[in-house]
Amino acid sequence: MALSLGACHDQLLNPVPESVLTTANAFNKASDLNLAVLGIYSAYQSRLPTDYELMEAPSDNAYGAYFAVSPGMAEIALLTVAPENPKLNTFWKDSYNGIFRANNVLANIDNPADYRESEKEQYIAEAKFMRALYYFDMVRIFGGVPAITTVITEGWEDIPRASEQEIYDLIAADLNEAIANLPGPDRTVTGRASKAAAIALLAKVDIYREDWSGAKTLLEQLFRDYNYSLVADYGSLFEEETENNSEVIFALPYVAGTNGNVLARNLGPHGGIYQVIASSNRTIRPTWDLHQAFEDGDSRFEATIEEYQIPYSWKPGDEPLWYPYINKWIIPLEDYSSSGLDIPVLRLADMILLYAEASYHTGDQAGALVQINKVRERAFGNTSHNYTLADIATEETFLDKLLLERRLELAVENNRWFDLVRTGRFTSVLTTIDGEYNPSTKKAVQIPINAKSYMKYFPIPWEQINLANPGVLTQNEGY
Amino acid sequence: MYKNFTSKRCRVPACPSIIVLTMKLSLVFILMATLQAGAISVLGQEISIHLKDASLKEVFKKLKRQTGYDFLYVSEDLKGTSSVSLDVESQPLGLVLDYVFREQPVTYEIENKTVLIKERAVDERRLLQKPIPVSGRITDSLGMGLSGVSVRVKNSRISTLSNEAGDYHITVPSSGSTLIFTNVGYAAKEYRISENTMTLNVMMNIQFTDIDEIVVVGYGTKNRTAITNAVSRLENEKLDQMPAGRVETALAGRISGVNISNARNTPGTAPEIRIRGLGSISAGNDPLVVIDGFPGGSLGQLNMNDVESVEVLKDASSTAIYGSRGASGVIIVTTKRGATGAAKLNLNSYYGFADPIVHNDWLTGQEWYDYLTRYQNREFAWNGGDPTLPIWGDPERPRTYQVDPLAMTLPQTVWQDEVLQVAPIQNHNLSVSGGTERSKYYVSGTFADEKGAVKTSAYRQYAVRANVDVKINDVVSMGVEVSPSYNRRRTAGSTMGTFSKYPPFVSPEKLNGKYPITYDYISTGHSGNPNPYTYIYGTEDYSSSFTNIGRAFVDLQLMEGLSFKTSLGTNIAYSSADYWRGGVGDPQVRTSGNASESHSFNIVNENVLSYNRTFNDDHTVGGILGASYQNATSRSTRLTAVVNSFNNDIIKTLNNAQINPGGTTQTASEWGLVSYFVRANYAYKNKYLVEGSFRRDGSSRFGPDSKWGDFPSASIAWRVAEEGFMDAIPNISELKLRASVGVTGNFNIGNFPYLGAVSTIIYSPGNETVNAIAQSTIENPTLSWEKTKGYNLGLDLGLFNNRLNFIFDYYDNETTDMLYNVNIPALSGFGNRIINGGGVKNKGIDLEISSKNMVGEFKWNSSFNFSHNINEVTDLVGGVTERTNSYGTYIDFLLRKGEPMFSFYGYKIKGIFDNEDEIASFPHLAGTKPGNPILQDTNDDGKITPEDRVILGNFQPDFLLGMTHDFSYKGFDLSIFMNASLGAEIYNIESQYYQGRTLGAMRRSVVENQWWSEEEPGDGMTPAAAGSQMFGFNSATDYYVENASYFTIRNVNLGYTFADIAEKNWGVKSLRLYTSINNLLVVKSKGNHSYNPEGTTQGEVSGINSVPGVNYGSEPLTRTVVFGVNIGF
């Protein structure tokens, strides 16, 4: 009786979860770790389509449209960001979730006994590459943040911020390890980190750290060891058929319908686009300022901005409407909220312009000029818009040209805000922003923006400061 | 002398209660005998003594105190003696002693002021046991003979019934026996019989409320008088005639302490039931539903026709017997069973229509155009434009701010009226019941069909029930219950907000093969939604389920008072949902679809040993000892179509589409519960009652370190009215004081929350979709119950022979160790984790009053209930005193210590800014424009910051009231049921749609009085209704917080019963025709602009991110009129 009761109790009280893996049984084989590594990328893939909210919206490229139904968006666009801003908190949480996944792979890496040769080292390297990428985003947004490099099960409330320097050191250390153990791009599928990706990322990190020669060395290694090349047609970079091209160093792959992104829906105009997208939100739209920055003949303009909307419900005879929107990520979609267009994080043109910057700062002005002009030649299809050494005679004018080129080449690719911040130019550039532009009156409403130098960092999310023990997470100056 | 004696000395109460009367008559008979025996010669010392049901020892003690006489006895001799009641004034001791010993197995002798007690001689005792024939007539208060009255000798099986004239004859075994007269609807009477009793005429009084009412409690039943905790009972008298698709709807407003609210008035939707407030944030607040003993059913599995009664266990001591599931209260439903007698067939059938109660202040044509023009001009001016530019056709005015004059010239449509309909509703139930002493049955079938007020919405139910009871012999009986039911529901494509907001110039007629849309006329600035008819006819959202609660049990009568019942119950549910959405010709609408199937199997074995016995008429001892084993398994499968992959609109099943692997899931899960429980109760003379219970639950849902939980309870009651001193207040027929305390739990947190779950997530390396994995929750091996400790103080009062009854309760329940999904630092890798922490308190009062106002030919009964609950957050874990939950760009929700949970939190409007100067001189939010509200600077720091937010209201009502009046006169009966809810607020954000934000339909009542300019400031409190300035300005304030109080005449039921129908020889035994009307009158606050004052669309409390009380367009209430017939064969 007692025995059978005991058995009955056990059966009733300790059922085995039938369709949920648990920490006890999920990470035991090499294949499990492989899937866990993909989990790290997945977290980044989920976050990436909304990164423009923190990385483009505050810049002079984009303006938060008045009908934005996205809480916190308008404040970012107008640089009136409060610690309570929900976008910041979401970004913080998503990023640390990705960091956790990387740390969790590292914590479980020794469990399996069935690794193939160098498989384990590759997973460690991928985890570290991704961890570095997350921290690179975090340090650029918030400055020094808490450095979490292991799975921590308690005491989170007492972990203070590391310094910006410490975070950069952590990133560099992770990337150096990644470079050592990642396979080359020829043995890597889209969406997984290759050695080249780690080199490119570290080079970019070095630029932010103003380690010009370090960056230069890495970029030279990148250009020498791997045969990346600029594609002829700029626009083809943002088309689904040609998304895997010779320019992509690291991209997050999306699949329409099953694993798509919402970028097109967020950027496309209300009322959709005829035969392209049935409905979209236009949470940000291009500024008139960005429009004007493009010279005539720049093929990047039409790949970036569309000013006349042909609504989805267009009928023959209807006139297109003046309604500018960012065109870059919009491709014809069956399902407007599931785009299959891959989003590159590291691509060659970015590296070329970073190389120009590194070259210039290490005294090679001519080399810098060659690099900028490579990008311009591709954009204009000829050399007639090339710069001369005279154009970049001083560091100031060089930076003018370089930042302009980066702006045009990499618009809405999450670089502009950081470029303005790292060069200290944001306080002078962001004094006003163009609001609604009226093509009939040729006037744009000027909205004052008062960028202050402390705004180089966004505030640490209010909730995270509150959840930590008092005084542990210090707020950035000015907030 | 005898006459003199009784009239002068014996106190005659003005209105004798049963026991006093018994005593008095007995004393009279005994005294007569005593006088004749001449025993009066002894001792003239006069004494006065008042005792009720006292033992001889107690009598001796009293007598000794008054007389100084000692009483000598051997304790053993007193063992067989019975208790006596005395109520004498100034009587000689001898007389009293004779009376005391008259029917005892002992007698007495007196020697020198000592009373010696000794055994009575055998012949004397035999004399006592001589059978005595008694006969008489039983009448009512008007002197009419009562037939069928049960006359029974107490503590024996001797009984008889009175004949047609009210006469009876019975032989009692000996003098001193007691006769009990009982008749349904009358107060029982008891008389003690002396050897001289030959004729005993009895008058019986109508008992207005059956105080011997049987109340169902956890694992048993009790007499109402024996209840020590807070239990409400509702019998199904005519509830099944109220046109309500669901049982909950019929119950709403009728029971104190129970808030049943209908957030969505759509067919088949389950209303929310909250018993005594909300005690949990994350683990749900639904009460446990026990249907015929099966714990864990749903009221949706029933139809009202089959329901015999509904009991609601409200306080922690009554629900503690359900342990880890009792915290939110328990609803016990008892279904009908057969009774001995010929087969009875009953048909209850009604048919009628539901007419939606709608808004009638829509702007159309010129009025609409004029409003929109002003609205757009203001927006244009705010954005730096020149509003004097022509509103239409001028290229200098951006498209966004133009208004096409077509809008006023096209045919006008009020979309609200288009999408709503007068909906037919019907319900038919046929039941057969009957049986013999050995076997009884109740079998019924139901068909219910209800169309919704919103076109295409519908609900249909087919149900069968069979309850069979078989008595094998005096020891063994058994029963079987089955209740298969199938229901199918169709939900309309969207909420009223989506439908009603559509602009009036868009036609409901198809054009070019599709329903026209706003885009066909306006290029931007509106919501871009498809035509409401595209939603209505382009959405097929079906859910259906087949369920059966079945049970078999065996009941063994082991010995007198002791029984054992073992049962096996199952609740099997198969559900499926099919969803298809298409554009019905509109290519702008994405087609989508999904299908899911799930089944669950819930099995419980319960074994209960029950004991209940009364000893010596005074000591009632009862209790249960039980063990319960429950296991529930469930599996579900879901398939999702790739969006826009349906080949056509003809085939709506997924074989016509591509399947999206990301939306395709299968899950299986289970939980188990092992419980042991015990309850013991003791009552002394049915006057002092005490009860205690204890349950120990083991649950699979909790961490390995805390699988088992203990749930004790205790309660006491004192029936003051049974005390002798209450005889002085004869109008008080019942007065009971109750007090209880108990601990209950809540286990509703899903099946494996304590584990660190690793979930699959999608990634696509090389553009190939793969199921990757990632840990999704943090493990917590100590995760345990949510505990609620509750106190209850109650008072039951019956006046005028229980013609007027009050049940009053005060309660105080505190939930601690909540299953609380607490936000944790993101450094953990997660945003939150589930822990035990935090607390919520509910305290309040419940009051139920019932009265028989008129009892003659014209009958008028009333019942009234009142509930008041105060909800308060008491703990938010780790010194946190408040948490705000931001609801997008709208209002915030506040959890703050000392305040009700999820209060609306935002800025308070003090006025409206008239001009830029005012803005400059008052604190304001950045970007404020004239026409935006002046916000209260609560902390007076000269800035408007989040610190200035204040509590603006709460979704929970403060007071609930219900009142029913039942009238009958001859064949007519009329029942009127009214209820009211006071003190709740809703955040009625639906109104923003009708103010211009999406350039759609407008309502006069929500656009008038607004600020337009300094010269036209409106009522000074209504901000400019501008879409561009709505978020963060109007929406974050009390502007959309509306009073949700209401009063309704919820149901009126008028019937006529045909008399003498049986004589017409059609086989019909009874016939009643009725009409029943729901929502005859609905009164709500003038400031409430919703269709349904308790309508909300974003859910209630279900976790820390809940946004209860938000209305985005809940469906209108309906005025329903049905005609019905009730026929018995």
Side-chain angles (χ1 to χ4, degrees), chain A residues 6 65 218 451:
Chain A
L218 285 163

Side-chain angles (χ1 to χ4, degrees), chain B residues 715-788:
Chain B
S715 54
I716 52 170
W718 176 28
R719 294 185 67 206
V720 183
E722 299 292 296
E723 298 288 359
F725 59 77
M726 288 300 290
D727 294 344
I729 318 169
N731 284 339
I732 295 183
S733 35
E734 170 70 313
L735 174 61
K736 178 157 78 172
L737 303 176
R738 292 177 277 114
S740 73
V741 57
V743 176
T744 58
N746 186 342
F747 82 153
N748 290 311
I749 49 162
N751 289 343
F752 298 102
Y754 62 90
L755 294 170
V758 176
S759 307
T760 56
I761 41 168
I762 287 190
Y763 191 55
S764 39
N767 292 94
E768 298 285 339
T769 305
V770 174
N771 280 341
I773 58 172
Q775 187 178 340
S776 51
T777 56
I778 305 186
E779 65 184 17
N780 181 358
T782 61
L783 195 66
S784 183
W785 322 97
E786 185 166 296
K787 292 166 193 72
T788 299

Side-chain angles (χ1 to χ4, degrees), chain A residues 9 12-14 18-19 21 23 42 97 101 190-191 253-254 257 259 271 278 321 334-335 337 342 438 440 463-464, chain B residues 383 395-396 399 519 523 588 590 635 643-644 660 668 672 674 676 698 707 756 758 761-764 766-767 823 826 829:
Chain A
H9 277 188
L12 284 170
L13 297 184
N14 299 301
E18 215 181 323
S19 54
L21 283 172
T23 44
S42 174
N97 178 246
R101 290 184 187 185
T190 324
Y254 295 87
N259 188 28
L321 306 168
E334 281 285 319
D335 171 2
S337 63
D342 294 358
N438 189 334
S440 305
E463 187 193 39
Q464 301 304 326
Chain B
N383 262 287
E396 298 227 344
R399 275 294 179 104
Y519 274 124
S523 57
Q588 208 151 355
R590 306 191 297 170
R635 303 182 80 79
V643 168
N644 272 354
N660 180 355
V674 177
Y676 298 97
K707 288 241 179 272
V758 176
I761 41 168
I762 287 190
Y763 191 55
S764 39
N767 292 94
N823 283 6

